[in-house]
Amino acid sequence: MRKNIVAGNWKMNKNLQEGLDLVKELQSAVFGKTLKCDVVVCTPFVHLASVSGLIDKNKVKLGAQNCADKVSGAYTGEVSAEMLASTGAQYVILGHSERRAYYGETSVTLSEKVKLALANKLTPIFCIGEVLAEREAGKQNTVVKTQIEEALFDLSADDFGKIVLAYEPVWAIGTGKTATSAQAQEIHAHIRQTVAAKYGQTVADNTSILYGGSCNAGNAKELFANPDVDGGLIGGAALKLDTFMPIVEAF
Ligand code: PGA
């Protein structure tokens, strides 16, 4: 059965103390509540070990925002999947559009990163999504299909079954423009069909597909009500408890 997930992507925000403060608030807010989704915080690398020591992972799960495409060695400044796992992290965002656009990440490196994440028992939250010009040209379905095929379709069905997908239209990220509920459902259904065509309906039905891009307290309920939207990857609204919790509670 696929899971509902609300994951906060802090991006490059919050120093260590601020991050720990937010996690403590979040942990108290979810304490004693029966939530209908898993809650994940994806923090900067340097926060991971400290956050890991603070959280009850039955309540709040921990993720990173990237990992290296190499196992270990002379790669100054890189952080390996094995290092992430050793902090207690359970998830890693891979292929975020900001990584693709600003750091030149390609399907080739992402495919390596996904395999290393899986080898270290991390769950990749693999991001896909089109830019505005592609949406305006009606190419969004082809774009996301190609992104999935190129980076993920050499995985076994068993390994693919361990991945979470996040559809994030680039034009909606940090812009305040959200995909309509109907646009989200349409493309999420297409993504699920793409997975079904390769791995079969059971794997597709068990894959969580999150929506990301200006998801907030006002639109989360309607987005999450769609049959193929299994939660959200939340940027700006994940940085404060009072904007994040209503999204967590939207299920
Ligand atoms: P946003 O970011 O919610 O600030 O639009 C989402 C994301 O980039 O994951």
Side-chain angles (χ1 to χ4, degrees):
M1 267 298 286
R2 65 192 190 236
K3 281 189 210 167
N4 295 329
I5 300 170
V6 173
N9 173 12
W10 292 4
K11 309 192 180 183
M12 196 173 73
N13 292 296
K14 299 206 175 284
N15 66 30
L16 179 59
Q17 196 50 56
E18 291 164 346
L20 294 180
D21 288 347
L22 176 58
V23 162
K24 280 184 209 155
E25 284 178 7
L26 179 61
Q27 176 104 324
S28 331
V30 299
F31 189 78
K33 288 202 171 130
T34 311
L35 299 172
K36 298 203 184 82
C37 64
D38 281 4
V39 180
V40 184
V41 287
C42 297
T43 79
F45 289 140
V46 292
H47 300 29
L48 289 170
S50 310
V51 170
S52 185
L54 267 186
I55 54 178
D56 170 354
K57 296 204 181 77
N58 292 315
K59 288 282 169 195
V60 177
K61 299 185 194 305
L62 180 62
Q65 301 170 19
N66 183 26
C67 73
D69 62 338
K70 304 285 192 300
V71 175
S72 66
Y75 301 102
T76 302
E78 288 294 296
V79 177
S80 72
E82 198 259 327
M83 291 171 190
L84 298 182
S86 75
T87 68
Q90 298 140 292
Y91 287 85
V92 58
I93 297 170
L94 292 174
H96 191 281
S97 62
E98 288 150 16
R99 303 281 332 158
R100 293 178 192 256
Y102 309 146
Y103 301 97
E105 295 202 353
T106 64
S107 296
V108 175
T109 48
L110 289 172
S111 164
E112 292 306 310
K113 291 181 183 204
V114 166
K115 291 191 186 79
L116 288 165
L118 290 171
N120 286 284
K121 302 199 164 28
L122 295 166
T123 301
I125 300 175
F126 190 81
C127 303
I128 51 179
E130 79 287 355
V131 299
L132 185 60
E134 290 164 337
R135 165 70 59 170
E136 285 174 348
K139 291 185 180 152
Q140 64 274 13
N141 283 2
T142 318
V143 170
V144 296
K145 183 166 186 262
T146 305
Q147 288 170 332
I148 296 172
E149 280 171 356
E150 287 183 353
L152 302 176
F153 273 6
D154 60 341
L155 295 174
S156 66
D158 195 35
D159 276 346
F160 191 92
K162 296 172 188 154
I163 288 187
V164 170
L165 295 174
Y167 168 66
E168 298 205 302
V170 180
W171 47 271
I173 296 177
T175 58
K177 283 187 209 159
T178 321
T180 64
S181 173
Q183 283 173 324
Q185 170 54 27
E186 187 188 358
I187 196 155
H188 279 232
H190 163 74
I191 292 164
R192 203 176 300 287
Q193 272 161 25
T194 301
V195 175
K198 168 79 178 172
Y199 292 110
Q201 198 61 46
T202 306
V203 171
D205 285 343
N206 287 334
T207 301
S208 297
I209 309 175
L210 315 184
Y211 170 81
S214 299
C215 185
N216 59 40
N219 56 34
K221 231 184 184 69
E222 195 187 345
L223 285 162
F224 297 173
N226 286 303
D228 288 298
V229 178
D230 307 310
L233 182 57
I234 317 300
L239 297 176
K240 284 194 192 144
L241 186 72
D242 61 355
T243 49
F244 190 53
M245 266 315 277
I247 304 176
V248 168
E249 292 181 304
F251 275 109

